[in-house]
Amino acid sequence: MLFAHLSDIHLGFQKHEALQKIEQTVFEKALDECISRKVDFILIPGDLFHVNIPEMRVQKFAFAKFRQVHEAGIPVYVVYGSHDFSPVSNSVIDLLVAIGYINKVTKVKDSEDGKIVLDFFVDKKTGAKICGFSGLKVGKDREYYEKLDRDSLEAKSGFKIFLFHSGISDMKTEAGIEGEHMPLSLLPKGFSYYAGGHMHKWNHQSFGEYSHVVYPGTLFAGYHSDLEENSKGQKRGFVLVEFEDEIKDVSFVELENTSYEIIEIDANNRKADSINKELVEKTQGIDPVNKIIIIKIDGEMTSGKTSDVDISAIRESLYQREASAVEISKSRLTSKEYLITEAKGKNKVEIETNVFDENIGQLRFKEKNLIGDAGVVLAKKLLSELVQAKLENEKIPDYASRKRQDALGVLGLKLDDS
Ligand SMILES: [Mn+2]
């Protein structure tokens, strides 16, 4: 008997058309593989979708593919992830459940004296007993697991699978992933297989009473950093498991997504001119045709503004040379000239004033109202306009344009209508 374990597909994450196409193709390829290899069932422990209600384009191809899987007679067992979670079952997952294409396996039998008692979902064809917990919003998972009645689950015999969507501290290998990791001891012991989601890299480990704790990782990408990992050779795919009354084999099925080039630039102690020159040289040295190009610029410049590093020309030229997508990361690029130093104060207003006071001396402008005490006053006014949140029912473009008008008003400027 055979089952497939996929996770963190994050359908709907990609915004760029070429990347959306890859996202869709890899998903379809994975499920086609499951059909052609005649798996008995499929497990997806979370983040199947990037948000609980993705756009219609995504819903259409997802439904079409799950319909094929359903018609091939393959049951799909899921829990929510942290991204497609909905506390009131308002997720596209629930539509797929309602029409019978997939099954949500969290069956809470009752909650007596604060304990959560789970029931198994029995797979008709293989008799496998499946249960699991959804991933909640960051940090809440642990509370929930602490209430889980593990004894009743451990007491049941048979081939048992537990689906979960959390980081496990015992097998922590990825840095920088959102949320906290919890200890393996919060999961029920003695199951045959622990089908994990949330961690985006393929990982398979066994520990004493917990054998086969497995993450397939993402199929393509659910964070921007995943694309960077891909460009550095990270393998992506899903897990295929052979079993009888116990696990016989766990293997990783690699699915290629596309080709990449990565350009990394160290901006430390440099000026924009020299960084721009290196950018041009390095991009000229690669063949970008039909590839995803990742450009990463990190470090602290000696002077000038980070916006002097000219990425728009580079982006444009790479697209002209038929790159399929260009992803540029400047989020860790800073400049000494604009390094903000901290300041203390008795309350929020005082801290803000002191931060502006401490730092305004760095600015070299001719306009008198942007520097000195006048600059501090202006900065405070601007900040008080910009911290105001979106109104209830206000659309984002309306909010953005209102804030732009407010900011320009504070600065005494007018927005050109052209
Ligand atoms: Mn994920």
Side-chain angles (χ1 to χ4, degrees):
M1 296 184 285
L2 203 59
F3 70 82
H5 171 193
L6 292 76
S7 91
D8 296 90
I9 311 175
H10 286 265
L11 296 177
F13 167 61
Q14 299 297 346
K15 297 285 166 274
H16 187 283
E17 207 184 315
L19 301 184
Q20 288 177 341
K21 217 170 156 192
I22 299 169
E23 183 183 87
Q24 179 179 348
T25 306
V26 176
F27 162 74
E28 291 172 343
K29 227 184 345 185
L31 291 184
D32 286 343
E33 280 284 319
C34 293
I35 295 171
S36 67
R37 288 172 189 254
K38 297 193 166 61
V39 301
D40 293 294
F41 57 86
I42 298 170
L43 308 175
I44 309 179
D47 290 356
L48 166 56
F49 297 98
H50 190 62
V51 288
N52 59 331
I53 304 175
E55 60 176 310
M56 196 51 84
R57 173 188 63 84
V58 173
Q59 299 194 32
K60 267 190 193 160
F61 74 71
F63 273 74
K65 191 43 78 179
F66 279 116
R67 180 179 176 168
Q68 283 178 22
V69 172
H70 179 72
E71 283 168 357
I74 303 170
V76 180
Y77 301 107
V78 311
V79 292
Y80 289 137
S82 40
H83 281 264
D84 45 21
F85 177 80
S86 162
V88 289
S89 296
N90 268 339
S91 174
V92 68
I93 300 260
D94 297 290
L95 291 183
L96 286 161
V97 170
I99 53 171
Y101 290 176
I102 67 178
N103 308 279
K104 238 174 18 180
V105 296
T106 311
K107 274 167 76 176
V108 178
K109 213 158 51 175
D110 53 51
S111 313
E112 39 188 55
D113 45 300
K115 285 239 168 215
I116 299 172
V117 183
L118 281 186
D119 207 0
F120 281 104
F121 211 103
V122 183
D123 179 63
K124 278 201 195 95
K125 201 168 141 211
T126 65
K129 292 176 182 150
I130 304 168
C131 70
F133 254 174
S134 292
L136 302 176
K137 290 295 172 198
V138 182
K140 289 266 190 241
D141 296 54
R142 212 192 152 111
E143 270 173 55
Y144 209 52
Y145 272 94
E146 273 161 2
K147 290 183 195 155
L148 174 65
D149 180 18
R150 288 188 294 273
D151 296 342
S152 63
L153 294 173
E154 289 167 0
K156 282 262 166 60
S157 61
F159 183 83
K160 295 183 288 185
I161 299 175
F162 192 85
L163 270 68
F164 66 102
H165 187 92
S166 317
I168 297 289
S169 45
D170 310 60
M171 61 193 302
K172 198 167 167 184
T173 50
E174 280 172 69
I177 204 105
E178 68 183 80
E180 282 176 12
H181 292 70
M182 61 178 203
L184 203 48
S185 57
L186 285 176
L187 268 52
K189 291 189 286 269
F191 275 52
S192 312
Y193 188 87
Y194 296 86
H198 193 51
M199 304 308 276
H200 282 194
K201 284 185 188 167
W202 149 238
N203 195 342
H204 171 205
Q205 292 181 43
S206 289
F207 310 78
E209 289 165 299
Y210 298 89
S211 54
H212 303 294
V213 186
V214 178
Y215 292 105
T218 181
L219 269 184
F220 175 43
Y223 299 111
H224 289 285
S225 57
D226 292 334
L227 288 175
E228 189 185 323
E229 299 285 349
N230 294 356
S231 74
K232 292 177 175 169
Q234 176 66 44
K235 292 195 185 336
R236 301 297 186 190
F238 66 95
V239 173
L240 209 56
V241 182
E242 222 185 291
F243 70 104
E244 280 166 34
D245 46 0
E246 55 185 67
I247 301 288
K248 295 285 167 204
D249 182 62
V250 177
S251 58
F252 184 73
V253 180
E254 188 184 352
L255 293 176
E256 286 189 11
N257 42 70
T258 188
S259 312
Y260 299 83
E261 290 280 355
I262 181 162
I263 293 172
E264 287 180 286
I265 297 197
D266 178 3
N268 272 311
N269 300 314
R270 296 172 68 184
K271 290 183 180 172
D273 282 352
S274 117
I275 298 166
N276 286 333
K277 210 174 137 222
E278 186 182 344
L279 259 175
V280 170
E281 281 167 9
K282 284 199 167 160
T283 47
Q284 274 167 357
I286 59 164
D287 170 18
V289 179
N290 294 330
K291 287 179 185 166
I292 297 180
I293 315 297
I294 315 274
I295 298 178
K296 216 180 149 202
I297 312 166
D298 283 352
E300 190 189 46
M301 295 159 60
T302 45
S303 63
K305 287 176 285 186
T306 55
S307 58
D308 293 338
V309 174
D310 186 12
I311 49 173
S312 57
I314 292 291
R315 193 195 299 270
E316 187 61 30
S317 83
L318 284 167
Y319 277 125
Q320 269 171 16
R321 292 168 60 205
E322 291 175 56
S324 61
V326 182
E327 293 273 308
I328 299 175
S329 151
K330 272 173 68 178
S331 60
R332 296 204 304 167
L333 178 67
T334 58
S335 172
K336 270 201 180 99
E337 198 168 327
Y338 284 85
L339 196 64
I340 303 296
T341 51
E342 287 177 38
K344 291 202 167 75
K346 283 199 288 288
N347 51 46
K348 180 170 151 278
V349 177
E350 210 178 291
I351 294 168
E352 285 168 4
T353 308
N354 292 343
V355 168
F356 288 134
D357 250 343
E358 284 285 321
N359 291 283
I360 200 135
Q362 298 182 51
L363 300 180
R364 303 269 172 272
F365 292 122
K366 287 198 189 81
E367 292 83 355
K368 288 253 169 12
N369 62 334
L370 296 179
I371 53 175
D373 290 343
V376 172
V377 172
L378 187 62
K380 282 170 69 180
K381 271 195 207 156
L382 199 54
L383 180 64
S384 73
E385 287 295 342
L386 295 177
V387 292
Q388 288 167 20
K390 194 166 75 67
L391 301 172
E392 213 176 311
N393 297 327
E394 187 176 27
K395 294 202 172 93
I396 289 170
D398 295 341
Y399 171 66
S401 113
R402 186 166 64 85
K403 283 292 104 188
R404 198 156 43 232
Q405 296 289 354
D406 288 348
L408 290 167
V410 169
L411 292 166
L413 302 170
K414 257 198 193 150
L415 186 60
D416 196 349
D417 273 348
S418 63

